[in-house]
Amino acid sequence: MSSQHPLWQNLFKHKEDRTSEVTEMWMDTPLFDKITRRECRDLVKTMHPRHYKKGEMVFNSGDIGASIVLIRRGAIEIKAAEKLLAELQVGDFFGEVALIIDEPRTADAIACEDSELIFFLRSDLEEWIKRSPRSGAQFMLNIATVLAARLRHTNILLSMQNS
Amino acid sequence: MLQTIIHHPLSRTLFVFSMICSAIILLAVLLAPLLIPIIISFTLYALLEPMSETFERHGLSRNAASLSVLLILVAIGALCVSLLLPHLSLQLSTLQSQLPVVWQSITTMGNDISQHIATSLSLDIQSSGLTQHFFTQVDEWGKAALIEGSNMLISLSVLLVLVPIFTFFLIRDFRTFRNNLLDKLPNSSFEMGWLIYYRVAHQLQEYIRGIMIQSAIMCVITTIGFYILGFDSPFLLGIVAGVLNLIPYVGPLLAMVLPVLLALGHVPVEFWLVGAAISVILIAQLIDNVIVIPAVIANAVNLHPLIVIVGIIIFGNLFGFIGMVVAIPVISTMNIIYCGLYQGIKARYNLKQKAAIDI
């Protein structure tokens, strides 16, 4: 059957649209600085979209963490000990610590509206690093920068609280 | 009390684990006639998938990459058969012609030993009767092995057709099939499911690649050793040693049997040759343990040696040679699935306990 058939054309178009849209969203984050769009796009094809209902837990603190999550649709609340830490919107990402260490999640993530999330698994990252070590190293450097910025931000908050 | 036991992470893990095991066993029973081609195809998939990925990275489509890998596989297979088969069949016929002499020599030696014991201890041992009984038994085993061998030839031709087809479809479609299957997991178990899958896949891939490289190295070392010792079928003995090396711990011991028997078959018996044949296997094992295992399959399977040996014996008893070969990957997979489930279920349980305390 030819891909000119409207049904097939639409099917492919839908998938292409999603890949392109998610690629652009990742490229807008600091994680993909100095990484080519083509490589990001190849990586996006290995990522896993999941749908969450409003109020559904994405993960609990203490759960096994294995991926970083990008919000494609909806919004997510990050809570620790019932205290709201952040409210994340479309294009934001969370859970990046799970890409680095095999430790349980340290906060809860709850969908505060119907959401579509894109999961980038640590195992896919490891395979990508094996395939493209240079880009993989750049990605790890970018994650380190993000984590360092968050640590610095937390330190400032703590010192402000103490003072 | 009953509620506590039911909700305890250990009992929940055991329940989920036994459900998964039941599903796997049911699948294995349903696929029983195709199990061997499926196992071989998965082994080839684990070995060849990186090649297919490389082709894809260089711009080939999934179909073209899978087809290229299949063509390379068939070409290598054809090359091996055309180059090695004549040598192998020649060495096999040499071995066949040697066997009657070997049996005769061992019979004579057995008689001599029995005679010697009978004379020194003044006992009346029916030595000829004992050896006769032993060789009647061996003869029966031999006939059974020949019938088994002819059945194997039929199975081999089926394998030659099925394995390339299965391997092609695995390389082309396995990732899509796996993604579709794992994406069916509920949101709450999605990450845990992928994590367990990747741990299993990574460990199996490492193990299969490692054991194949290890067997090839064993084959080369023993072939060279037996050639230096002047055995008539060094290549055949090397291949037997390499294939038996697929069975950890027990394989090297089995690999000694044929060369030792052949060395005993020399007239007059040359005991230094028996020692040298054993030494070849031991030296190959030493090189394997000191150089190959640390470099190739260290940490690929993290199991206690006692579990490995008991597992091989049980699987060998249940499923024969194939059972002995697959025992370690199967036990290791079960171990990862159980530990992953327990880790995930325990985390949830602790969370619920904490929430209950907070309330």
Side-chain angles (χ1 to χ4, degrees):
Chain A
M1 191 178 286
S2 153
S3 63
Q4 293 304 309
H5 189 284
L7 173 70
W8 290 100
Q9 216 171 18
N10 283 346
L11 274 176
F12 288 123
K13 194 164 182 283
H14 173 70
K15 202 176 167 185
E16 280 300 298
D17 281 351
R18 179 152 74 186
T19 308
S20 306
E21 189 191 327
V22 175
T23 305
E24 290 312 315
M25 285 172 124
W26 277 120
M27 290 301 292
D28 287 342
T29 67
L31 294 179
F32 282 86
D33 267 358
K34 296 176 191 164
I35 293 172
T36 63
R37 183 166 269 99
R38 191 185 157 192
E39 278 201 274
C40 178
R41 193 182 165 80
D42 286 345
L43 207 53
V44 166
K45 286 177 189 166
T46 68
M47 293 179 188
H48 309 271
R50 308 282 302 181
H51 293 89
Y52 289 81
K53 295 270 176 216
K54 184 180 176 182
E56 191 177 348
M57 294 296 287
V58 179
F59 54 72
N60 288 298
S61 128
D63 276 359
I64 304 171
S67 50
I68 184 172
V69 189
L70 176 82
I71 305 169
R72 184 173 176 237
R73 300 266 182 273
I76 299 292
E77 278 180 353
I78 306 292
K79 286 180 176 177
E82 294 303 309
K83 193 179 165 191
L84 184 69
L85 297 181
E87 193 173 327
L88 305 174
Q89 303 297 328
V90 172
D92 290 340
F93 62 90
F94 58 97
E96 63 280 0
V97 177
L99 281 187
I100 314 289
I101 50 168
D102 193 5
E103 291 287 326
R105 301 279 192 193
T106 50
D108 301 332
I110 308 140
C112 44
E113 33 184 280
D114 287 356
S115 306
E116 184 188 340
L117 308 178
I118 308 292
F119 283 76
F120 176 23
L121 292 160
R122 191 194 316 139
S123 41
D124 290 329
L125 171 67
E126 283 168 3
E127 281 183 11
W128 181 51
I129 291 173
K130 273 188 212 159
R131 282 202 309 268
S132 314
R134 197 172 287 182
S135 306
Q138 181 60 52
F139 184 84
M140 296 309 277
L141 200 65
N142 293 344
I143 283 200
T145 311
V146 170
L147 290 175
R150 291 201 178 163
L151 181 67
R152 193 178 143 79
H153 178 70
T154 312
N155 284 343
I156 292 168
L157 279 179
L158 277 174
S159 60
M160 277 167 67
Q161 270 178 5
N162 288 338
S163 63
Chain B
M1 179 68 183
L2 189 68
Q3 284 288 316
T4 318
I5 295 170
I6 290 171
H7 291 293
H8 194 275
L10 194 65
S11 44
R12 285 181 77 107
T13 309
L14 282 174
F15 175 73
V16 178
F17 182 68
S18 39
M19 295 300 282
I20 293 172
C21 286
S22 310
I24 293 171
I25 292 167
L26 184 71
L27 204 66
V29 170
L30 287 173
L31 295 173
L34 296 172
L35 219 49
I36 294 176
I38 288 174
I39 291 170
I40 297 173
S41 304
F42 264 102
T43 308
L44 287 171
Y45 168 73
L47 294 170
L48 299 173
E49 222 264 339
M51 194 193 288
S52 162
E53 272 183 15
T54 311
F55 287 153
E56 275 187 77
R57 273 204 308 282
H58 284 88
L60 284 188
S61 68
R62 189 87 186 143
N63 275 332
S66 312
L67 197 66
S68 310
V69 170
L70 179 75
L71 289 176
I72 290 170
L73 175 70
V74 171
I76 291 173
L79 195 71
C80 285
V81 167
S82 61
L83 285 178
L84 302 180
L85 206 62
H87 292 284
L88 214 56
S89 58
L90 188 71
Q91 295 196 359
L92 200 63
S93 51
T94 313
L95 188 68
Q96 270 177 332
S97 64
Q98 277 181 336
L99 281 180
V101 183
V102 171
W103 292 137
Q104 188 57 49
S105 165
I106 295 170
T107 313
T108 315
M109 198 171 63
N111 286 341
D112 288 349
I113 293 169
S114 313
Q115 208 72 47
H116 179 71
I117 295 169
T119 321
S120 20
L121 299 174
S122 309
L123 293 171
D124 182 24
I125 297 174
Q126 297 294 321
S127 57
S128 56
L130 281 174
T131 45
Q132 194 60 41
H133 173 72
F134 174 71
F135 284 107
T136 314
Q137 190 67 50
V138 169
D139 194 38
E140 279 172 21
W141 287 342
K143 280 175 189 163
L146 276 176
I147 296 166
E148 193 67 29
S150 54
N151 287 340
M152 265 179 71
L153 274 178
I154 298 166
S155 315
L156 196 69
S157 44
V158 176
L159 282 184
L160 283 176
V161 176
L162 287 182
V163 167
I165 297 172
F166 283 3
T167 310
F168 170 74
F169 283 111
L170 277 177
I171 293 172
R172 202 189 69 160
D173 298 325
F174 180 72
R175 265 194 270 173
T176 316
F177 174 71
R178 172 202 71 185
N179 288 358
N180 288 340
L181 196 71
L182 286 172
D183 284 347
K184 301 267 182 301
L185 285 171
N187 283 340
S188 56
S189 319
F190 163 74
E191 276 189 290
M192 186 171 69
W194 272 100
L195 202 66
I196 293 174
Y197 165 76
Y198 268 106
R199 281 179 188 165
V200 169
H202 181 72
Q203 188 145 326
L204 282 181
Q205 218 163 26
E206 291 275 301
Y207 180 76
I208 290 169
R209 281 176 201 162
I211 202 93
M212 288 294 163
I213 294 171
Q214 196 193 8
S215 287
I217 291 171
M218 277 296 283
C219 176
V220 171
I221 295 171
T222 47
T223 301
I224 294 169
F226 292 133
Y227 178 76
I228 292 168
L229 289 180
F231 276 87
D232 291 327
S233 325
F235 185 47
L236 185 68
L237 294 176
I239 285 187
V240 171
V243 170
L244 286 172
N245 197 63
L246 293 174
I247 309 167
Y249 299 109
V250 187
L253 294 176
L254 295 175
M256 284 179 194
V257 175
L258 190 59
V260 165
L261 281 178
L262 287 175
L264 283 172
H266 273 249
V267 184
V269 177
E270 294 175 49
F271 284 103
W272 72 267
L273 196 60
V274 178
I278 295 172
S279 304
V280 167
I281 302 281
L282 289 180
I283 290 168
Q285 274 299 306
L286 194 71
I287 295 172
D288 184 50
N289 285 315
V290 174
I291 302 166
V292 183
I293 292 181
V296 180
I297 50 174
N299 301 323
V301 177
N302 195 14
L303 292 173
H304 192 278
L306 193 65
I307 294 173
V308 172
I309 293 169
V310 171
I312 288 169
I313 293 168
I314 293 171
F315 273 71
N317 194 30
L318 289 174
F319 309 109
F321 178 75
I322 293 291
M324 290 167 103
V325 174
V326 300
I328 303 312
V330 169
I331 296 169
S332 144
T333 301
M334 291 298 149
N335 183 36
I336 299 170
I337 292 176
Y338 179 81
C339 292
L341 282 173
Y342 184 68
Q343 198 185 354
I345 290 171
K346 199 178 169 201
R348 290 274 159 84
Y349 178 79
N350 289 343
L351 198 76
K352 278 184 187 164
Q353 293 287 94
K354 193 171 161 275
I357 291 166
D358 287 348
I359 289 163

